[in-house]
């Protein structure tokens, strides 16, 4: 009795690898998806299917825009209240540039203030410790603050008010 073929080991590409595949495709436009898959199978030492390459290339714009995203991330996750967090990040960066020490309670109060300015009161956002912890992991605890366009963000506030 013949033994069944071994099951393929699951392998998940991270954002950096997906971006690398897109760049390779741009630099080598004559390569087929199968050739690209074979190249990256050899490079990563894992099986990368032709369909996987097709899915990545179908979303090329998404992967090419992920310059600042951590390379080890496998999926893209966005904040539920992105505008609030962008504005709070701008405020935090400005406050840190003036060497202001910012406690968690101050950060929560400022978030509530910005949230009401953005008209987010109806969402009944709790500004919980869990929300604050996730915000700090995404935006505050990094060694650098993302570059931002302050004029654009403040213009968005005025338009939404």
């Amino acid at each position: 009795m013949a033994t069944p073929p071994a099951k393929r080991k699951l392998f998940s590409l991270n954002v950096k690898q997906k971006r690398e595949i897109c760049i390779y495709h741009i630099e080598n436009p004559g390569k087929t998806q199968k050739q690209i898959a074979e190249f990256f199978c050899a490079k990563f030492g894992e099986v990368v299917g032709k369909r996987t390459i097709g899915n990545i290339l179908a979303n090329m714009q998404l992967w090419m825009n992920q310059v600042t995203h951590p390379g080890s991330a496998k999926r893209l996750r966005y904040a539920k209240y992105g505008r609030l967090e962008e504005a709070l990040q701008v405020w935090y960066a400005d406050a840190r540039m003036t060497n202001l020490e910012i406690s968690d309670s101050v950060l929560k109060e400022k978030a509530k203030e910005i949230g009401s300015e953005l008209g987010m009161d109806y969402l009944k956002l709790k500004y919980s410790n869990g929300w604050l912890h996730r915000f700090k992991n995404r935006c505050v605890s990094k060694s650098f603050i993302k570059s931002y366009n302050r004029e654009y963000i403040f213009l968005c506030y005025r338009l939404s008010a």
Side-chain angles (χ1 to χ4, degrees):
M1 186 171 200
T3 59
K7 206 171 189 184
R8 191 175 99 179
K9 183 181 158 198
L10 292 178
F11 170 65
S12 185
L13 296 168
N14 62 36
V15 173
K16 184 179 176 185
Q17 291 169 324
K18 291 175 183 178
R19 190 170 192 282
E20 188 177 342
I21 289 170
C22 294
I23 291 169
Y24 181 82
H25 174 69
I26 291 168
E27 291 173 351
N28 301 286
K31 299 272 185 182
T32 65
Q33 290 179 5
K34 185 176 181 181
Q35 291 170 328
I36 294 171
E38 289 169 354
F39 175 80
F40 283 101
C41 281
K43 182 170 183 171
F44 299 147
E46 298 282 349
V47 176
V48 181
K50 185 179 92 167
R51 187 66 236 150
T52 302
I53 298 296
N55 289 340
I56 292 168
L57 296 179
N59 293 312
M60 187 183 315
Q61 217 39 50
L62 174 71
W63 302 118
M64 292 303 290
N65 291 333
Q66 299 304 317
V67 179
T68 60
H69 205 277
S72 63
K74 307 244 187 240
R75 284 181 240 125
L76 299 177
R77 296 183 180 129
Y78 300 101
K80 191 172 183 180
Y81 307 105
R83 287 185 11 194
L84 169 68
E85 292 194 7
E86 280 180 9
L88 192 57
Q89 190 175 1
V90 169
W91 175 83
Y92 180 82
D94 286 344
R96 291 299 297 156
M97 290 179 88
T98 60
N99 292 326
L100 221 95
E101 286 298 319
I102 302 167
S103 67
D104 287 354
S105 59
V106 170
L107 207 50
K108 279 186 189 180
E109 284 303 313
K110 193 61 181 178
K112 288 177 187 176
E113 183 183 314
I114 292 171
S116 67
E117 286 177 20
L118 289 173
M120 299 177 92
D121 295 331
Y122 71 95
L123 296 174
K124 295 185 175 37
L125 178 60
K126 302 255 192 274
Y127 304 99
S128 65
N129 289 335
W131 170 82
L132 181 66
H133 175 74
R134 288 186 298 277
F135 169 75
K136 287 166 69 174
N137 281 342
R138 277 191 297 273
C139 304
V140 175
S141 64
K142 295 179 178 149
S143 61
F144 64 95
I145 297 294
K146 250 179 2 181
S147 64
Y148 54 86
N149 185 341
R150 289 163 69 197
E151 291 76 25
Y152 171 74
I153 291 172
F154 289 121
L155 176 65
C156 289
Y157 292 153
R158 287 188 214 115
L159 293 176
S160 68

